[in-house]
């Protein structure tokens, strides 16, 4: 193959519906080509390969484009979805020095019913001094008992952030005995709260195998196309890290997709202050960029109701996308729900027999309310790959009857029991349900044309007849679809305004009622004119945004920006991100002239506050730079923040009670030569 004369970056994003790929000029950050492929949940490599192949083909004239790729970077929602859905590998959590109260406060048992949790003696005090010797005999018993039945371990020790010796010793012992991955809590968080560190470590350990599958899928695609370049992943704070590093710390990819979208939106729009709204097939993510920096939740990402201690962007995610499930009340008022449904128009474009089935349903006056809905295995999966572990006998039997081709829901699940079983299989990710969605409504209205409009119209006609109990005229089909589009616009506008106002929940009877007046496009209530607008631009990105957000911008009276390549902003953000690492080290004074530096490996003691702070600064810089380099960074830049707390009568730093030294190291990825 002839070598390329240009240098490229490839960004890949695996979302719930689509896998996006973008080819970016390494010198100018210009997007040269992009492509989308359906995310194949059954085998991620299929969708990843298809997206990359289409993007490289779109370059046209550069036949040796693959040889010019200097970096591949990936963002994903896999970790976020796994936490929300409660999925994960079997792990053993070892708690060192925890009492029963601490175990309960961690929330481990309620978060993961049946999780293996073992407590052993050990731990330190708040100064980093050993309180109780680490019980190696008990640890050996835990490893002997559970090492064969789990895929990873997590270790958390009391006051480990002041002295990690027991966590590190436990990790080394477990690794030596089992060769399994071990997550220690201090690698993920520097806060004292040991129970929350334990929960974060457990979440991380459960995700390792899932993220490893994605990394393997991308590596397979790279090998297939002859791409020899570093592979990076986007973390939840928008920064990048080497894939092999992230493979052991997958919790850091929670909210990776939204973070990449924010970085990509900034790159594509050139703006430094805006509200981001990223609408995909499954979700809409909203965040804020101020002064060129994303708002970061210092308390840690809140995912699936669990507050982790991993820093991530402050993002709001709601179940609203082109593939959201649609419902109707008896008056014909549309509702757009959080659950994903595969669009009928998409299914019919891949399986033409679906149109024939829809026509049969139209001809059958007794087809029932589930007519026009289908069940199928996840795209990319085959029957022989079905994993029946953890399923009841009834669930196994029903799953065995489902194929890769869509089957009519009304024929497969005739009774309420079968419906409940299908719901369970869908929730566990074993099957996909297909039905009428906003994407189908957009096809009926002529706002979207990439799939089968005929199937969308037939499905809408079935809804008019079977749900609304009316003759399915063309006018009613259009009105029904218009109602779905209107509701999607309303929900999208409401989410933008709530983000602008800084509220994640507004009571409908208060300000929320006025917000809905604006978002429905009414503009008045009683004798009052109502207008609420964001004071910064809204940057809309994602595949469906041009269908809904022009109207959102009109109703909100705000500047709505659709940057070029907005449909693949997440992939662009993955390709153009920075590597960053923040290290925080505490210095504690005892009021009598002794100052302790709690470093990443041990505790050191000084007689001078200035010497202690200087040592903390040196350690933080060295640690941050080493971690950035280990994650694939080139030349490192530093930002420093030192916060001091002095005794009330102190006249200089020797009256120091506590200091926090925070160093942020950043670098561009070192590209392959």
């Amino acid at each position: 193959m002839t070598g390329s004369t240009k240098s490229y970056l490839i960004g890949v994003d695996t979302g719930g519906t689509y896998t996006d790929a973008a080819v970016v000029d390494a010198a100018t950050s210009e997007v040269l080509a992009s492509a989308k492929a359906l995310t194949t949940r059954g085998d991620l490599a299929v969708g990843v390969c298809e997206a990359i192949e289409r993007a490289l083909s779109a370059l046209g004239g550069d036949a040796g484009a693959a040889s010019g790729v200097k970096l591949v970077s990936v963002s994903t929602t896999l970790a976020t979805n796994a936490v929300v859905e409660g999925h994960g590998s079997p792990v053993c959590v070892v708690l060192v020095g925890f009492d029963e109260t601490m175990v309960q406060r961690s929330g481990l048992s309620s978060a993961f019913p049946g999780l293996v949790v073992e407590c052993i003696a050990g731990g330190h005090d708040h100064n980093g001094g050993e309180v109780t010797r680490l019980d190696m005999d008990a640890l050996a018993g835990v490893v002997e008992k559970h090492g064969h039945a789990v895929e990873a371990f997590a270790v958390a020790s009391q006051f480990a952030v002041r002295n990690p010796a027991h966590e590190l010793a436990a990790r080394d012992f477990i690794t030596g005995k089992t060769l399994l991955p071990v997550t220690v809590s201090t690698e993920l968080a520097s806060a004292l709260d040991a129970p929350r560190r334990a929960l974060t470590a457990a979440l991380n350990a459960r995700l390792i195998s899932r993220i490893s599958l994605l990394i393997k899928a991308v590596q397979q695609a790279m090998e297939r196309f002859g791409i020899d370049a570093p592979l990076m992943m986007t973390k939840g704070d928008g920064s990048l890290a080497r894939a092999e590093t992230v493979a052991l710390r997958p919790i850091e990819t929670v909210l990776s997709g939204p973070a990449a979208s924010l970085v990509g939106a900034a790159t594509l729009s050139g703006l430094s202050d805006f509200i981001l709204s990223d609408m995909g097939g499954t979700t809409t993510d909203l965040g804020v960029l101020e002064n060129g920096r994303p708002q970061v939740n210092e308390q840690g990402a809140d995912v699936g109701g669990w507050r982790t201690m991993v820093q991530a962007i402050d993002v709001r995610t709601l179940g609203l996308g082109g593939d959201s499930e649609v419902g109707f009340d008896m008056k014909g008022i549309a509702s757009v729900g959080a659950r994903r449904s595969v669009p009928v128009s998409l299914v019919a474009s891949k399986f033409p027999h679906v149109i024939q089935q829809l026509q049969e349903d139209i001809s059958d006056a007794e087809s029932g309310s589930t007519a026009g809905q289908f069940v199928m295995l996840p795209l990319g999966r085959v029957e022989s790959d079905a994993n029946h572990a953890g399923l009841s006998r009834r669930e196994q039997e029903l799953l065995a009857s489902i194929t890769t081709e869509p089957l009519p829901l009304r024929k497969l699940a005739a009774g309420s029991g079968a419906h409940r079983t299908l719901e369970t299989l869908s929730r566990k990710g074993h099957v996909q349900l297909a039905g009428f969605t906003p994407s189908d409504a957009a096809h009926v209205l002529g706002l979207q044309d990439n799939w089968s409009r005929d199937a969308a119209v037939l499905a809408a006609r079935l809804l008019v007849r079977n749900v609304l109990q009316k003759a399915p005229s063309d006018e009613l089909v259009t009105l029904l679809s218009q109602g779905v589009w209107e509701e999607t616009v309303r929900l999208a506008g409401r989410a933008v305004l709530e983000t602008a106002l800084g509220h994640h929940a507004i009571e409908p009877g208060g300000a929320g009622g006025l917000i809905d007046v604006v978002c429905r496009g009414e503009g008045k209530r009683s004798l009052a004119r109502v207008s609420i607008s964001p004071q910064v631009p809204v940057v809309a990105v994602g595949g469906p945004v041009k269908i809904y957000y022009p109207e959102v911008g009109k109703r909100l009276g705000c500047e709505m920006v659709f940057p070029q390549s907005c449909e693949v902003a997440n992939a662009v953000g993955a390709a153009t991100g920075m590597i960053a690492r923040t290290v925080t080290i505490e210095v504690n004074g005892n009021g009598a002239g002794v100052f302790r530096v709690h470093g990443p490996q041990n505790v050191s003691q000084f007689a001078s506050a200035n010497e202690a702070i200087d040592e903390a600064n040196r350690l933080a810089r060295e640690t941050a730079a080493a971690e950035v380099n280990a994650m694939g960074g080139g030349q490192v830049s530093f930002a420093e923040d030192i916060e001091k707390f002095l005794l009330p009568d102190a006249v200089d730093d020797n009256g120091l009670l506590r200091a926090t030294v925070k160093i942020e190291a950043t670098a561009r990825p070192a590209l392959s030569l």
Side-chain angles (χ1 to χ4, degrees), residues 380-598:
R381 183 176 298 172
V382 296
E383 289 86 339
S384 59
D385 292 335
N387 182 0
H388 292 186
L391 298 182
S392 69
R393 181 177 178 181
R394 174 58 182 145
E395 289 167 350
Q396 292 182 37
E397 291 174 350
L398 189 56
L399 181 58
S401 67
I402 298 172
T403 68
T404 54
E405 294 202 1
L407 300 172
L409 175 60
R410 70 185 183 96
K411 295 182 179 179
L412 189 66
S416 59
H419 272 286
R420 288 193 296 270
T421 302
L422 270 180
E423 290 287 342
T424 302
L425 289 173
S426 174
R427 188 171 60 252
K428 292 180 178 180
H430 291 286
V431 301
Q432 289 182 308
L433 303 178
F436 195 79
T437 68
S439 292
D440 296 304
H443 276 81
V444 173
L445 298 173
L447 300 174
Q448 189 172 339
D449 61 0
N450 50 321
W451 299 322
S452 171
R453 183 177 185 274
D454 289 344
V457 170
L458 288 169
R461 292 178 70 85
L462 281 166
L463 284 170
V464 170
R465 189 192 70 185
N466 295 343
V467 177
L468 305 186
Q469 302 293 309
K470 295 180 179 180
S473 66
D474 291 344
E475 180 183 5
L476 286 177
V477 164
T478 299
L479 284 175
L480 178 140
S481 300
Q482 184 74 23
V484 173
W485 179 84
E486 289 277 353
E487 178 64 3
T488 306
V489 168
R490 184 188 72 82
L491 292 171
R494 183 182 178 90
V496 169
L497 283 184
E498 289 181 356
T499 302
L501 291 167
H503 297 285
H504 284 197
I506 301 177
E507 293 300 323
L514 298 181
I515 285 178
D516 278 338
V517 168
V518 174
C519 295
R520 285 196 298 264
E522 296 170 358
K524 66 176 183 177
R525 170 174 284 185
S526 189
L527 300 179
R529 182 180 296 112
V530 181
S531 175
I532 310 174
S533 296
Q535 65 175 357
V536 297
V538 175
V539 178
V541 301
V545 290
K546 291 184 179 179
I547 297 172
Y548 308 102
Y549 278 76
E551 181 66 18
V552 171
K554 178 181 176 182
R555 295 181 183 185
L556 302 189
C558 65
E559 181 183 356
M560 188 67 64
V561 179
F562 302 96
Q564 187 174 5
S565 301
C566 68
E567 66 280 358
V568 291
N570 39 20
V572 174
T576 58
M578 297 276 287
I579 296 172
R581 191 68 178 166
T582 299
V583 173
T584 301
I585 294 181
E586 274 198 7
V587 177
N588 286 282
N590 67 354
V594 176
F595 305 93
R596 294 184 178 88
V597 177
H598 300 278

Side-chain angles (χ1 to χ4, degrees), residues 88-145:
S89 303
V91 302
C92 174
V93 182
V94 180
L95 304 178
V96 181
F98 277 51
D99 58 28
E100 185 58 33
T101 300
M102 294 173 69
V103 174
Q104 291 179 359
R105 195 158 64 83
S106 71
L108 286 167
S109 58
S110 55
F112 315 113
L115 180 71
V116 176
V117 179
E118 296 280 3
C119 296
I120 65 174
H124 296 77
D125 61 23
H126 68 281
N127 288 319
E130 185 177 79
V131 174
T132 306
R133 180 182 62 85
L134 179 62
D135 191 339
M136 297 302 295
D137 291 338
L139 181 60
V142 169
V143 172
E144 176 68 23
K145 182 179 179 181

Side-chain angles (χ1 to χ4, degrees), residues 80 83-85 302-307:
T80 308
V83 173
V84 171
E85 296 165 5
D302 187 351
V303 184
W306 302 104
R307 175 72 69 181

Side-chain angles (χ1 to χ4, degrees), residues 295-317:
Q295 287 186 351
V296 174
N297 192 328
E298 299 291 346
Q299 299 301 313
D302 187 351
V303 184
W306 302 104
R307 175 72 69 181
T308 73
M309 300 185 80
V310 175
Q311 192 177 80
I313 65 169
D314 192 5
V315 64
R316 181 188 180 207
T317 299

Side-chain angles (χ1 to χ4, degrees), residues 21 27 58 88 133 237 259 281 296 367 374-375 464 603 660:
R133 180 182 62 85
D237 61 0
V296 174
S367 58
F374 298 86
V375 184
V464 170
V603 180
T660 301

